[in-house]
Amino acid sequence: RTYERDCELLREIGCDIVFAPEASAMYFADSTTTVVETELSALLCGASRPGHFSGVCTVVSKLFHIVQPSIAVFGQKDYQQFLILQRMVRDLNFSVQVISEPTVREPDGLALSSRNAYLTPAERAQAPVIHQTLLQTEKLIRTHQIGFGEIENWMASNISSAKLSKVDYVAAVDPGTLESKKSLPLLLACAVYFGSTRLIDNRLIT
């Protein structure tokens, strides 16, 4: 919600146009049409937040129709969102290429997010445990120090060692279907609460 700051940052990198409509211009009071993806959105964050991805698909489809972009870029931090939007574009024949870019991180590894501003100093100090756990899990997998059936329990336990954390979910899943998997390639994904702030992160192991 930092419109002025966003515009300043965009200006610095040579952006020419910002599309920032009011909510009233995007949503009619009596609107009855939504876009729903039924498979990928039922898992991970979708299981924790029913209806969330329907809102995402609806507003992004509206943006695609209005703006008519050639390329849409999404960060890998929201890997599930990227996968769902890729599926939506394929299924509904949108003429836009959906691509992902690596997650941008703070020096201590915490994924950049507007939600980070809501963390207390103590919560912010402990939040990097998420990324650290993902890195440590990958190392254990690659050095054969952990079985595929143990991954989720180990991740949950390691994250929970940060006393202010509350694990929403941890998952080791197929990168294409988001269903549980016990072989590579593998997506390690998690959502963790620090107070009322919900942080997500993931790591793709190929």
Side-chain angles (χ1 to χ4, degrees):
R1 305 265 180 192
T2 54
Y3 176 76
E4 297 298 335
R5 176 60 176 157
D6 290 346
C7 288
E8 182 182 329
L9 291 170
L10 289 165
R11 191 177 295 111
E12 289 175 3
I13 61 171
C15 177
D16 297 307
I17 298 171
V18 173
F19 179 63
E22 295 292 329
S24 59
M26 293 294 291
Y27 297 103
F28 296 101
D30 61 349
S31 176
T32 55
T33 305
T34 58
V35 178
V36 181
E37 191 284 325
T38 59
E39 188 173 293
L40 299 169
S41 58
L43 307 167
L44 305 183
C45 285
S48 298
R49 306 174 70 194
H52 168 69
F53 288 114
S54 175
V56 170
C57 287
T58 300
V59 73
V60 172
S61 66
K62 289 166 73 71
L63 288 167
F64 284 174
H65 278 304
I66 295 166
V67 178
Q68 296 289 304
S70 300
I71 298 172
V73 184
F74 294 88
Q76 290 175 2
K77 179 175 74 72
D78 295 300
Y79 184 93
Q80 183 177 15
Q81 173 178 270
F82 163 70
L83 213 60
I84 289 169
L85 293 175
Q86 251 194 348
R87 179 73 60 86
M88 179 188 80
V89 163
R90 184 202 71 179
D91 290 353
L92 299 182
N93 301 102
F94 281 85
S95 58
V96 57
Q97 181 184 2
V98 176
I99 62 175
S100 67
E101 281 292 306
T103 301
V104 181
R105 299 183 180 278
E106 299 280 5
D108 59 8
L110 181 64
L112 284 185
S113 171
S114 57
R115 298 176 188 176
N116 295 350
Y118 298 113
L119 297 170
T120 67
E123 291 167 348
R124 175 62 185 81
Q126 293 187 18
V129 72
I130 301 172
H131 183 56
Q132 292 164 7
T133 297
L134 293 170
L135 294 177
Q136 291 166 0
T137 305
E138 178 178 8
K139 183 177 180 180
L140 291 174
I141 291 170
R142 293 197 182 282
T143 55
H144 307 289
Q145 296 182 62
I146 191 171
F148 286 101
E150 307 169 79
I151 291 173
E152 293 179 355
N153 286 338
W154 190 89
M155 287 175 62
S157 176
N158 203 65
I159 292 172
S160 296
S161 67
K163 295 182 179 180
L164 297 178
S165 70
K166 180 182 178 183
V167 174
D168 182 5
Y169 73 79
V170 294
V173 298
D174 185 289
T177 67
L178 303 183
E179 294 177 346
S180 183
K181 191 182 179 202
K182 291 181 169 54
S183 63
L184 297 182
L186 203 62
L187 178 76
L188 305 178
C190 56
V192 182
Y193 281 97
F194 282 89
S196 60
T197 305
R198 185 176 183 273
L199 304 177
I200 61 172
D201 206 347
N202 63 74
R203 188 162 185 83
L204 181 61
I205 306 176
T206 60

